[in-house]
Amino acid sequence: MKYLDEYRDPAAARKLLAEIRRCANRPWTLMEVCGGQTHGLLRHGIEAELQGTVELIHGPGCPVCVTPLEAIDFAQQLAMRDDTILASFGDMLRVPGSRDSLLQTKAKGGRVKIVYSPLDAVELAKRNPDSQVVFFAVGFETTAPATAIAVQKAKCDHVDNFSLLVAHVRVQPAMEALACSPGDGVQAFLAAGHVCTVMGYASYEPFVKQFRLPVVVTGFEPLDLLDGILACVRQLEAGEARIENQYARSVRREGNVAAQELVNSVYEICDRRWRGFGEIELGGLQLRKNFHEFDALKRFKDVSQLPIVESSECRSADILSGRIKPPECPAFSHACTPESPLGAPMVSSEGACAAYYRYRNLQNNSPSGSPQKRG
Amino acid sequence: MCLGIPGKVVRWIDRDETFAQAEIEFDGVRRICHMACVIEANEGDYVIVHAGIGISRIDAAEAQRVFEELAALGDDEGWQGADW
Ligand code: SF4
């Protein structure tokens, strides 16, 4: 596929890898923010290949993992109502809530529908005028334009039985919280390519000045990841801290202004509790007043919040902030597997625990699954 | 979740400011996607689609940058024999 295959070329990947090794005169520690990048690094064996040269710490960029438990519990309660259909991205379904996952709720007779796009949930509401359709709006700034269009569409077409359970989160406040935490050892960040596609990277200019940490906006394919890592290493070796854009085929400095305006028309910034992190100041989005009629929390005020129960064994807070890697969690691959997960990072397609579990036998493979291994 | 897939704009359906739509082809499969955020894309251009909406038009010149950088790293000697 154009714009995918060429960025997976093993020979080119080897060349970049050799250049990273040549440039790095000492080991460096980078954090990739986005869970999609974590999966790419593991899937293509990049993390293993760079051992001893660059340590990759996996960041908080899994929106499914940080969606607060109370939101999941609320979604389950909605799904169990006779008059309500809970529509969600497939990623959310196996995430453990306090009692069940949405998949278990579905097995118990709850009405849960997987949709590919939030707009599909609006169509679902049109086809089911006798039911309430609630879309579980999870995701970073990448996803907020899609849910914003869905709300605009529902408003324009008077789809009164549609609402959103909003759990959108914003990346940069979490990065700031991590950069402020002493002793985390992160020396540079690979910023999330698709969040920056929407938001741009001008807001990182004060960030790199304040924290003196290089930030390289990076894509998701092996060559993107290696090129982003190389850019970080070059800056670190030169003692620089700048914002650089590796993913320029998609990301512009100002971002996608139309997408930002769309998001701003529907949402405003708010504080948000992140699962595993606690409250993050300005870390979320909520519906603006003129869209309150689409706010499921307001529409279903009668649903009482049950006490939240977090697994005592799950170390997801340490995973999401990069303090430990999944194999260091005692439950990893024993008490916690994708079939019987204790925490969200084991089931989300962007969760670090899922990545380590899935690619645990590929740790020494070269990029793009090329069979060549270190001699 | 932030997965974005590149696809080719094959046909514009509606260029409405908020609810623009176009047919996009992904590896031979066509889907109707929302295009309000990439209204500047032309038929034949590639866009990155996330959750059913286009979030950027791929800049074909910038897409070559990494390959130019690879070329600037010199010929293949010295890396083909890299130790893996
Ligand atoms: S391995 Fe399972 S229990 Fe351990 S941190 Fe990951 S999700 Fe939680």
Side-chain angles (χ1 to χ4, degrees):
Chain A
M1 240 162 106
K2 193 166 157 74
Y3 295 121
L4 284 183
D5 294 340
E6 61 264 50
Y7 297 96
R8 296 176 179 173
D9 173 19
R14 280 198 289 280
K15 195 168 179 175
L16 286 172
L17 201 53
E19 184 64 10
I20 294 169
R21 291 207 184 100
R22 196 188 63 75
C23 287
N25 290 309
R26 48 158 289 192
W28 296 104
T29 302
L30 319 183
M31 175 179 273
E32 86 281 1
V33 171
C34 171
Q37 294 170 332
T38 307
H39 274 250
L41 291 166
L42 272 285
R43 174 148 64 107
H44 299 288
I46 294 171
E47 140 145 311
E49 286 300 334
L50 285 173
Q51 252 170 37
T53 308
V54 172
E55 189 186 357
L56 290 150
I57 296 195
H58 314 309
C62 166
V64 166
C65 301
V66 303
T67 297
L69 204 44
E70 54 269 32
I72 298 168
D73 294 351
F74 190 79
Q76 282 165 7
Q77 291 193 72
L78 292 179
M80 289 309 285
R81 290 167 65 113
D82 292 340
D83 63 342
T84 307
I85 301 171
L86 193 277
S88 169
F89 292 127
D91 274 32
M92 270 323 283
L93 254 68
R94 291 163 63 227
V95 176
S98 290
R99 281 147 280 271
D100 286 327
S101 65
L102 283 168
L103 198 61
Q104 288 163 321
T105 307
K106 192 171 155 80
K108 288 179 181 170
R111 294 211 285 170
V112 179
K113 276 256 188 272
I114 297 178
V115 292
Y116 160 71
S117 166
L119 272 307
D120 298 341
V122 179
E123 293 306 315
L124 185 70
K126 287 183 183 171
R127 288 198 305 274
N128 292 275
D130 299 329
S131 293
Q132 287 288 329
V133 172
V134 182
F135 180 70
F136 199 174
V138 168
F140 285 125
E141 292 96 326
T142 319
T143 314
T147 63
I149 294 185
V151 180
Q152 294 273 21
K153 184 80 182 155
K155 190 160 186 141
C156 175
D157 293 357
H158 305 286
V159 188
D160 300 332
N161 60 328
F162 175 80
S163 60
L164 285 188
L165 176 55
V166 180
H168 281 309
V169 279
R170 299 175 64 238
V171 169
Q172 200 169 331
M175 285 173 70
E176 281 163 13
L178 287 169
C180 286
S181 64
D184 72 353
V186 173
Q187 293 166 306
F189 283 103
L190 302 181
H194 288 148
V195 169
C196 293
T197 293
V198 173
M199 300 308 294
Y201 55 83
S203 63
Y204 287 109
E205 287 161 5
F207 178 94
V208 295
K209 277 209 185 84
Q210 183 184 350
F211 297 105
R212 294 271 321 141
L213 295 170
V215 175
V216 178
V217 179
T218 303
F220 300 85
E221 298 306 322
L223 296 197
D224 294 323
L225 292 162
L226 288 163
D227 193 36
I229 292 167
L230 176 59
C232 283
V233 168
R234 282 181 176 152
Q235 283 197 46
L236 289 164
E237 288 285 344
E240 295 172 358
R242 285 179 287 112
I243 171 86
E244 239 178 288
N245 182 14
Q246 181 283 328
Y247 196 37
R249 67 182 180 278
S250 178
V251 178
R252 277 111 232 173
R253 180 178 179 274
E254 69 284 3
N256 185 326
V257 176
Q260 291 163 25
E261 284 172 358
L262 187 62
V263 171
N264 287 337
S265 71
V266 171
Y267 296 111
E268 59 192 4
I269 294 171
C270 64
D271 299 341
R272 163 103 352 111
R273 226 179 67 72
W274 286 40
R275 189 175 189 174
F277 277 79
E279 181 96 350
I280 295 194
E281 206 180 328
L282 311 181
L285 296 173
Q286 66 186 13
L287 287 166
R288 283 187 186 278
K289 243 201 180 90
N290 45 337
F291 289 96
H292 273 184
E293 76 233 60
F294 295 101
D295 188 340
L297 283 176
K298 296 201 162 48
R299 190 173 293 191
F300 300 96
K301 275 210 277 294
D302 56 314
V303 175
S304 57
Q305 193 72 61
L306 300 171
I308 59 170
V309 188
E310 192 66 89
S311 154
S312 55
E313 282 173 86
C314 179
R315 301 276 307 272
S316 70
D318 293 326
I319 298 286
L320 290 164
S321 51
R323 283 192 291 271
I324 63 166
K325 293 201 174 181
E328 294 170 60
C329 168
F332 177 79
S333 87
H334 305 293
C336 181
T337 62
E339 289 70 41
S340 127
L342 292 178
M346 185 51 95
V347 284
S348 161
S349 63
E350 293 186 321
C353 302
Y356 273 77
Y357 190 87
R358 189 156 168 201
Y359 304 119
R360 63 199 185 284
N361 299 323
L362 294 174
Q363 292 289 305
N364 286 318
N365 279 9
S366 57
S368 276
S370 155
Q372 300 181 52
K373 293 198 181 145
R374 202 186 294 266
Chain B
M1 168 153 300
C2 289
L3 187 71
I5 311 282
K8 186 177 176 179
V9 182
V10 286
R11 184 172 65 92
W12 270 99
I13 297 167
D14 182 351
R15 279 194 131 130
D16 177 89
E17 205 185 313
T18 315
F19 304 119
Q21 287 189 319
E23 205 175 356
I24 310 291
E25 188 177 294
F26 305 93
D27 215 8
V29 180
R30 292 184 178 195
R31 254 194 98 102
I32 292 172
C33 296
H34 280 261
M35 299 287 281
C37 304
V38 283
I39 209 91
E40 74 282 9
N42 295 311
E43 287 173 6
D45 283 349
Y46 278 75
V47 291
I48 291 181
V49 175
H50 166 77
I53 78 156
I55 55 168
S56 72
R57 187 178 65 82
I58 293 180
D59 184 319
E62 289 290 358
Q64 287 309 309
R65 200 196 47 82
V66 68
F67 302 105
E68 286 158 14
E69 186 179 313
L70 278 160
L73 288 178
D75 62 25
D76 292 353
E77 289 187 32
W79 62 267
Q80 258 188 348
D83 63 340
W84 65 284

